[in-house]
Amino acid sequence: MESMYSRFMRYSSAPLFVSLFAVASCVGIIGDREQGNTYSSTGALFVPAEATLHRLTRPQLRNAWLDLFGEPLAAPADLPADDVLYNFSSIAASRSTISPVEAEKYENATYAVLDQVFASAARRDALIGCPAGVVDDPCVRQFIAAFTTRAWRRPVTDAEIDTLHALAKDLAGQLGDGAEGIKFMLAAVLQSPHFLFRVDIGETGPADAYRYSSWEMASRLSFLLIDAPPDEALRTAAQKGELTDPEQIRAHAERLLEDPRARTTLVRFFRDFMNLSKLDHLDKLPEKFPQITATLGPSMRVQMERMFEQNVFERKGDFRDLLTTRDTYVNEDVARVYGMDGISGLDWVPVTLPDDGHRPGILTTPGFLALNAHKSQTSPTHRGRFIRVNLFCQDIPPPPPGINTTLPEPDPNTPTTLRQRLDEHRTNPQCSGCHDRMDPIGFALESFDAIGAYRETDENGMAIDTQSIIDGTEVKGPGDAAELIASLPNVGACIARRFYEHAGAHLAGSSDEAAVETLVDDFVARDYSFQQLVLALVTNDGYRLASPASTKEVQP
Amino acid sequence: MNLKKRIQPSRRLFLRGMLGGAAVAVGLPLFDFMLNNHGERLAEGAEIPTRFGLWFFGNGVHLPTWTPPTVGPDWNVPGDNALTALLPLKEYVSVVSGLSVKTSFHPHHSGMAAVCSGGPHLKIDDVRDTIVSTMKYPSIDQVAAEYFQSQVKSPYKSLEASVTRFRGTDEGTQFQYLSHNGSSGGETNVNPSEESPHAFFERLFNTGTTGPIIAKARGSVLDAVGGQIKTLQGKLGTKDKQRLEQHLTSISEIQSRLNIPTAQCTKPGDPGDFPDLASNEQIAEKNKVMSDLMTLALACGLTRSFSIQYSTCGSGAVFWMVGATDGQHYMNHTEPAPYTKQQEAVRFTMKQLAYFLDKLKGTPEGTGNLLDHCSIFVSSEHAEGWSHEQKDMPMLICGKGGGRLKGNVHARIPDGNVSMGPFTALLGAGLPLTAFGHEEGYVTSPVSDLLT
């Protein structure tokens, strides 16, 4: 209790607080090389993250089933949820386990999938490729080897094949049916940790450098870029041991970026990065916002995702343009929030918004503004906090214990704006340390209500003031704020850092800071192209190299 | 405190033998047909099993309209108090006040871990100032479940349900989940709660019939999976080994269910789901059906340990029925004194708890009712939400614990350790504990005034 409090007090009273936070960690400096070791700009020795297990996410699991059985396949809907930790479902997947209720869901889903495939004798026999009904046959053993290699995304050992073949025979006996025996044996392949998790263990490469194996890299690349198991080209390359070579890795990544699934998959990164899944459950007060329809929230999400796709896959330009562009897409739902006439239906229409300084970029989309607001009220604090934490990569400590966090009571005789009340709140030095860093960014966006519609007065008829000072720079409103944010060096660096964290499924710490700095340099050198960031990432030492998992006992 | 020790098969396993291999159709309550002539004990002398529950609501209360004015037996509260809805049930409800969180303070995080697990929260990957945490030690529903399963296995080790929809996704597992299995190295190990009444019904009561041949085949498959897990564990680091250890436990939970002939519960109707009406979450309706389903599951012996997440830690559920237009967490930080809406939201919440308790009380069992055989711990992560205060935490212990709990007592222990509350509730459920809690949350005394 003591330490958290004193730390907060130190932060809140330090005049150089902001600059302390925007330290070199977000500025690219190539790590010094000394005796073959890499160091970050602050002198920390580079040590890659430990190899770990990654539980397949729901889309990955569906794609893994599809890869094995093909269409048609109705993927069971009742699967364990994809949580997020530190924004990303990938990080949650590298921390979570399988609880009893989730094991139940996996078991039910496995049989639901197998039932579909085995319902048709023709489909079943085509899958197995052996005479109908035989089990104790070399042909079945070969099927098990091929199927399991594909399902577990690595070569299976003879011992593993023997065990599974014996299981199939045993089950065929129990069930009195050869094909049923094979079906149930496949249920053991598909409930296996080798299928439900992406297993990274790593291997010792030349010169004792510990790294991910070729097979592990095949899955790392494939699930990162297309949320699916390795395709034939990757499997072949893995078999030949080619995927420890950065040039080979890069060539496969370039190829996968052309796959249509790469769009969906990188959009999922963006969805986590901006917390967009929450828009599917948009909860706003209908009495206050007549623009609301059942599809508004998802439409807001899709609009933002389309802007991402346009930037990354169509224009392939500077990723920071996303923060300032007036080019967007609208459908009837979001057009209503923009107050734009003549757009009907849910299809998307490309538009260029007027150059009036109101609507530059992704931070002025209804989705962003609605997401970082309450059910009826705006929240300059939430909007500012999101930008500070997720676009500047600067953390905000929590409020200290025991202070009253309630905003001052408005005087009914002298109406005040939310901004005025927050200003008063920040006269308390216990609050100002952090709120000074969040609220002013949000004030520049106060011209948008809790669903992101433009306004010049608030619900009490009070004039909205969007002038603000962000990290020492004066801004008049959303236009200036967006230009400023896009130009801050730590914003470009932060995007690279977050993609690194998502891809490697761990937070960048001091031990791999050098790898992040290299990635940031590469991003800057490639003019902030997101596709180039992806290619720099997959060949980055922090992504290709691993540390062996610690076997030290951790006692709670 | 190691409850992992499995007790060897004893005469208490008579349940298995008695039911033989076939599912026995029984009406409610399950245990009636096993009772002796006096209706107080099971036929072979064993007591009717006591059930344990954890019922959690987020964001704390308004202490002046929560704490009963007098201490001792037969508590009472004035008309505007949050606990008025519980007055008709007060023979079954004791209030504990004054207890405080002693673990390292953090808004929401420390309070949640302290009341639910008796220990501190665990920050995951301590490299950023943004806190993302999980529960370091198992929540008490799992402590009880572990013990109960070591005695006589129930079909489900524990059951988890939730009422309101809101889940916090920014700060780790404690803002999404109630039931935790603990975490030694930052892995997340939770028991997700079912939020959909329809899905909860399907899972528990609409399981269909699979014959013994299929059950045996499923068992063989799970054996094989268990073997794969163990082999893989040998190649992994400590943290991943732990994660797979839970996977293995989860597999064995299914396996043991295949081996325990489940009594067939009286199948309720499918309650369906409750979509929002005009953007208003149907909280009372959802609470009603989830309470009904959980009562049925407890009555027919599907589990002895449960948790109900009425609302999450830091919940943003909107209590529209009291006039709230924004989520409760935000409301707590913006509503000026005297916090009228928060007072009413807590009153409403206690009405929902009262519905559940009344349902249990209305379910006959032996010579009494199901609530006679429950010990249910009710709490929140804060005393009051606007200050994030974790002193004088709101706590109720409900049920008679099979005669172990007095009921109708208000015990006040100023600045006592918060773990005394959950400790008392676990003792009320018959756990043979002499101490409870972890680190600064370790205690050796319960709230003895509540125990018989």
Side-chain angles (χ1 to χ4, degrees):
Chain A
M1 187 190 294
E2 208 56 45
S3 66
M4 183 56 72
Y5 189 70
S6 56
R7 193 159 57 136
F8 178 84
M9 289 310 286
R10 177 164 58 77
Y11 286 168
S12 60
S13 57
L16 292 173
F17 181 36
V18 169
S19 55
L20 278 176
F21 251 86
V23 282
S25 64
C26 289
V27 183
I29 297 171
I30 297 172
D32 299 325
R33 285 182 183 270
E34 231 175 66
Q35 297 172 338
N37 290 330
T38 309
Y39 296 87
S40 73
S41 56
T42 53
L45 175 68
F46 169 65
V47 182
E50 289 182 19
T52 192
L53 304 178
H54 306 263
R55 192 164 88 161
L56 298 197
T57 61
R58 294 165 70 137
Q60 290 172 351
L61 187 58
R62 288 193 201 104
N63 284 337
W65 284 324
L66 262 180
D67 181 61
L68 295 167
F69 301 113
E71 299 274 14
L73 195 73
D78 190 16
L79 296 173
D82 291 333
D83 291 332
V84 293
L85 281 180
Y86 289 106
N87 280 62
F88 295 110
S89 47
S90 57
I91 297 182
S94 71
R95 293 289 179 278
S96 63
T97 175
I98 296 176
S99 64
V101 64
E102 290 172 330
E104 263 179 79
K105 288 181 198 282
Y106 283 132
E107 194 198 23
N108 291 336
T110 300
Y111 287 110
V113 165
L114 290 170
D115 284 348
Q116 290 178 60
V117 177
F118 279 70
S120 142
R123 189 173 181 186
R124 175 197 71 199
D125 294 345
L127 173 75
I128 300 171
C130 301
V134 302
V135 183
D136 190 3
D137 189 285
C139 171
V140 171
R141 195 177 188 281
Q142 278 168 22
F143 161 68
I144 294 171
F147 183 91
T148 308
T149 296
R150 185 88 170 246
W152 293 357
R153 306 172 290 268
R154 60 161 174 87
V156 262
T157 64
D158 282 343
E160 285 168 333
I161 303 168
D162 289 343
T163 306
L164 288 166
H165 198 190
L167 177 68
K169 287 184 265 190
D170 175 31
L171 287 163
Q174 286 182 35
L175 297 159
D177 184 305
E180 283 295 287
I182 291 175
K183 174 178 147 183
F184 275 74
M185 176 274 298
L186 293 182
V189 175
L190 299 179
Q191 291 181 81
S192 170
H194 298 288
F195 178 74
L196 296 176
F197 291 90
R198 188 159 60 71
V199 178
D200 277 347
I201 292 172
E203 64 177 22
T204 305
D208 285 342
Y210 205 77
R211 63 186 185 188
Y212 293 107
S213 73
S214 234
W215 276 100
E216 288 166 351
M217 278 308 297
S219 278
R220 283 175 79 76
L221 273 183
S222 192
F223 283 105
L224 173 67
L225 298 179
I226 58 170
D227 261 341
D231 61 9
E232 192 170 351
L234 274 171
R235 291 198 303 270
T236 306
Q239 192 68 56
K240 290 185 192 162
E242 291 174 351
L243 298 177
T244 51
D245 172 7
E247 283 315 304
Q248 293 278 353
I249 294 170
R250 186 186 166 89
H252 280 282
E254 280 175 341
R255 182 176 66 78
L256 291 173
L257 281 173
E258 299 299 315
D259 187 311
R261 288 174 293 180
R263 280 191 178 222
T264 330
T265 304
L266 290 179
V267 159
R268 260 196 279 279
F269 156 75
F270 186 66
R271 193 178 299 161
D272 279 1
F273 177 60
M274 298 293 290
N275 202 7
L276 302 185
S277 297
K278 275 196 175 168
L279 283 171
D280 289 343
H281 312 283
L282 186 72
D283 189 18
K284 299 290 173 184
L285 203 63
E287 300 90 296
K288 189 166 175 181
F289 305 109
Q291 303 98 321
I292 285 178
T293 62
T295 51
L296 178 60
S299 287
M300 286 173 166
R301 171 174 63 73
V302 173
Q303 182 200 15
M304 296 173 77
E305 292 174 357
R306 290 191 70 105
M307 290 173 74
F308 171 83
E309 277 186 70
Q310 184 187 57
N311 177 288
V312 174
F313 290 95
E314 286 142 40
R315 299 195 169 161
K316 301 185 184 178
D318 186 324
F319 190 70
R320 300 169 305 166
D321 289 349
L322 204 51
L323 295 163
T324 53
T325 182
R326 286 182 289 110
D327 295 341
T328 186
Y329 296 86
V330 293
N331 68 2
E332 187 179 280
D333 281 332
V334 295
R336 215 178 301 111
V337 178
Y338 282 112
M340 201 181 279
D341 295 329
I343 307 285
S344 60
L346 292 177
D347 288 339
W348 293 94
V349 182
V351 293
T352 300
L353 298 171
D355 188 9
D356 54 10
H358 293 164
R359 294 281 190 180
I362 204 88
L363 300 180
T364 61
T365 53
F368 175 80
L369 296 161
L371 205 50
N372 297 287
H374 300 289
K375 183 161 175 158
S376 65
Q377 298 269 329
T378 63
S379 175
T381 306
H382 279 205
R383 288 172 181 172
R385 183 179 184 280
F386 185 96
I387 291 168
R388 186 68 70 185
V389 173
N390 298 296
L391 293 182
F392 296 4
C393 285
Q394 295 169 355
D395 288 322
I396 305 284
I403 63 159
N404 191 330
T405 58
T406 308
L407 287 178
E409 195 172 350
D411 179 349
N413 300 319
T414 40
T416 47
T417 62
L418 180 58
R419 174 174 181 158
Q420 287 164 333
R421 293 203 287 144
L422 279 166
D423 278 338
E424 197 186 324
H425 182 227
R426 282 181 299 119
T427 57
N428 179 346
Q430 285 192 306
C431 305
S432 63
C434 290
H435 280 268
D436 275 351
R437 311 181 59 229
M438 302 185 283
D439 301 356
I441 306 177
F443 292 151
L445 300 171
E446 268 292 88
S447 49
F448 303 104
D449 68 15
I451 64 161
Y454 182 75
R455 61 180 188 172
E456 287 174 354
T457 55
D458 71 5
E459 53 270 356
N460 301 320
M462 304 283 292
I464 295 287
D465 175 11
T466 58
Q467 291 197 48
S468 190
I469 297 175
I470 301 175
D471 289 0
T473 304
E474 220 169 293
V475 296
K476 289 197 183 69
D480 287 355
E483 290 290 342
L484 173 71
I485 290 168
S487 73
L488 293 174
N490 45 346
V491 170
C494 185
I495 290 158
R497 173 180 297 272
R498 290 289 182 258
F499 187 65
Y500 177 93
E501 293 182 334
H502 159 75
H506 70 276
L507 292 189
S510 56
S511 61
D512 59 348
E513 195 57 41
V516 179
E517 289 177 3
T518 304
L519 186 67
V520 171
D521 284 344
D522 290 343
F523 191 35
V524 175
R526 304 295 174 131
D527 300 322
Y528 298 96
S529 150
F530 194 84
Q531 289 212 11
Q532 292 298 323
L533 173 67
V534 171
L535 297 175
L537 179 277
V538 296
T539 51
N540 184 286
D541 283 355
Y543 186 72
R544 279 193 322 111
L545 304 184
S547 292
S550 165
T551 51
K552 216 170 64 187
E553 280 304 318
V554 189
Q555 284 305 325
Chain B
M1 186 193 64
N2 180 13
L3 289 169
K4 287 211 163 147
K5 183 181 60 160
R6 298 277 175 190
I7 293 192
Q8 290 306 305
S10 71
R11 68 185 184 86
R12 305 194 78 176
L13 283 174
F14 76 97
L15 271 174
R16 179 178 299 185
M18 190 166 174
L19 291 167
V24 180
V26 289
L28 284 178
L30 167 73
F31 294 100
D32 264 6
F33 77 106
M34 300 176 196
L35 297 175
N36 65 10
N37 292 336
H38 307 291
E40 290 151 349
R41 302 170 84 79
L42 296 179
E44 295 204 354
E47 288 168 26
I48 294 176
T50 305
R51 282 65 147 208
F52 181 80
L54 171 60
W55 200 95
F56 183 88
F57 64 106
N59 294 318
V61 299
H62 174 247
L63 285 175
T65 54
W66 171 273
T67 316
T70 60
V71 172
D74 201 22
W75 59 270
N76 210 335
V77 288
D80 67 341
N81 187 286
L83 302 178
T84 45
L86 294 166
L87 282 173
L89 293 152
K90 69 177 184 164
E91 288 302 321
Y92 288 87
V93 177
S94 284
V95 184
V96 181
S97 66
L99 300 182
S100 301
V101 175
K102 304 291 184 186
T103 48
S104 179
F105 175 88
H106 202 295
H108 302 282
H109 297 255
S110 53
M112 178 73 184
V115 298
C116 296
S117 75
H121 63 283
L122 177 72
K123 188 173 177 189
I124 301 171
D125 290 357
D126 198 4
V127 298
R128 277 173 57 180
D129 256 347
T130 295
I131 182 162
V132 167
S133 84
T134 190
M135 228 173 262
K136 189 170 176 183
Y137 297 94
S139 51
I140 47 177
D141 58 306
Q142 292 307 308
V143 173
E146 195 76 47
Y147 171 71
F148 292 152
Q149 291 298 81
S150 75
Q151 301 296 297
V152 178
K153 270 195 179 287
S154 298
Y156 293 91
K157 180 181 176 188
S158 63
L159 289 174
E160 293 78 28
S162 49
V163 177
T164 53
R165 178 184 53 227
F166 180 90
R167 297 289 176 275
T169 54
D170 299 342
E171 297 190 33
T173 62
Q174 296 197 105
F175 290 64
Q176 303 175 67
Y177 301 110
L178 175 55
S179 179
H180 284 67
N181 298 312
S183 170
S184 53
E187 74 279 12
T188 61
N189 191 346
V190 297
N191 300 299
S193 56
E194 185 53 70
E195 167 203 336
S196 149
H198 167 72
F200 201 48
F201 159 81
E202 286 282 328
R203 179 181 176 211
L204 298 182
F205 301 108
N206 206 23
T207 48
T209 48
T210 49
I213 295 174
I214 296 290
K216 182 162 184 262
R218 281 171 60 201
S220 302
V221 168
L222 294 171
D223 280 342
V225 173
Q228 293 161 8
I229 294 172
K230 282 182 202 152
T231 310
L232 179 56
Q233 278 182 313
K235 300 174 185 167
L236 301 174
T238 313
K239 189 184 66 149
D240 285 338
K241 242 182 223 164
Q242 290 270 12
R243 293 166 72 197
L244 286 192
E245 195 58 32
Q246 177 61 54
H247 188 194
L248 196 60
T249 304
S250 301
I251 296 284
S252 72
E253 286 296 317
I254 303 177
Q255 283 175 309
S256 66
R257 198 150 56 240
L258 291 170
N259 296 328
I260 300 173
T262 313
Q264 280 182 0
C265 302
T266 301
K267 189 171 158 181
D270 183 346
D273 280 323
F274 294 82
D276 293 358
L277 292 179
S279 156
N280 292 329
E281 188 175 14
Q282 300 302 291
I283 298 175
E285 289 73 8
K286 282 205 268 187
N287 178 72
K288 181 174 178 300
V289 292
M290 280 307 202
S291 300
D292 291 354
L293 290 172
M294 192 62 92
T295 300
L296 210 48
L298 292 170
C300 73
L302 289 183
T303 191
R304 286 181 63 189
S305 185
F306 68 95
S307 59
I308 294 182
Q309 177 168 260
Y310 171 78
S311 59
T312 65
C313 167
S315 175
V318 180
F319 290 94
W320 53 272
M321 68 295 291
V322 305
T325 51
D326 283 300
Q328 190 185 23
H329 180 245
Y330 178 64
M331 184 181 88
N332 280 175
H333 290 307
T334 48
E335 188 186 25
Y339 314 106
T340 313
K341 283 179 190 149
Q342 170 69 355
Q343 289 186 40
E344 287 182 31
V346 178
R347 254 198 301 278
F348 172 81
T349 294
M350 288 303 112
K351 259 185 214 157
Q352 310 315 307
L353 172 65
Y355 176 86
F356 177 49
L357 297 179
D358 197 49
K359 187 79 189 173
L360 294 169
K361 187 174 167 234
T363 303
E365 189 171 71
T367 55
N369 63 64
L370 187 47
L371 192 53
D372 284 324
H373 303 116
C374 283
S375 174
I376 301 170
F377 182 69
V378 178
S379 195
S380 187
E381 85 277 19
H382 286 146
E384 295 183 325
W386 40 93
S387 61
H388 295 136
E389 191 57 78
Q390 294 172 14
K391 292 184 167 126
D392 198 359
M393 299 292 275
M395 275 183 200
L396 306 172
I397 295 177
C398 309
K400 292 279 193 177
R404 297 179 191 89
L405 293 169
K406 287 181 190 161
N408 198 15
V409 176
H410 171 207
R412 183 162 182 84
I413 303 167
D415 208 34
N417 193 311
V418 79
S419 295
M420 294 173 78
F423 184 24
T424 308
L426 289 169
L427 292 176
L431 270 73
L433 302 174
T434 52
F436 171 73
H438 313 274
E439 305 179 28
E440 299 95 329
Y442 179 82
V443 294
T444 52
S445 329
V447 184
S448 46
D449 287 354
L450 268 56
L451 297 163
T452 53

